[in-house]
Amino acid sequence: MNARNQRPGPPSAGTTYRSTAYTSLLPWQVRERRFAPTGLGRRGLNPDDVYAFLDRVAVDMAAVYAALADSRRETARIKAGLRRWQTDQARARNERDQLQ
């Protein structure tokens, strides 16, 4: 199994509850999905199948966007911490230099 088909880790606090019986869609499942044609006298695909699939894709997309937002918040938090640390180090160095 390659990295793009691996399931994400357990949900973090604040995320929507999802049953363990529910498995996230994988890219290959979306690409290979085929819908049964409608019954006699109608053309096209079964709308119920299509809408159910679209709902599932929407749920998975929402989870991805939520994870992305969490990741961006964590990145911003780490960057802010690094900036504070760098500022503290620069101040300490300047104070040492002034004492010498």
Side-chain angles (χ1 to χ4, degrees), residues 4-54:
R4 79 176 196 191
N5 288 337
Q6 290 180 353
R7 291 201 34 137
S12 61
T15 59
T16 305
Y17 170 79
R18 188 186 303 196
S19 168
T20 55
Y22 178 90
T23 56
S24 296
L25 286 171
L26 301 174
W28 66 267
Q29 290 173 310
V30 174
R31 282 188 212 102
E32 293 180 6
R33 178 73 164 129
R34 300 296 175 258
F35 298 99
T38 58
L40 291 172
R42 295 177 57 198
R43 295 188 323 175
L45 304 173
N46 184 344
D48 293 337
D49 289 346
V50 175
Y51 289 132
F53 185 75
L54 291 176

Side-chain angles (χ1 to χ4, degrees), residues 18 24 58-68:
R18 188 186 303 196
S24 296
V59 167
D60 284 353
M61 286 179 67
V64 167
Y65 283 122
L68 179 59

Side-chain angles (χ1 to χ4, degrees), residues 86-99:
Q86 288 172 327
T87 300
D88 293 344
Q89 294 300 311
R91 284 183 187 146
R93 184 178 49 221
N94 288 341
E95 289 173 2
R96 276 195 313 260
D97 290 347
Q98 289 176 357
L99 293 176

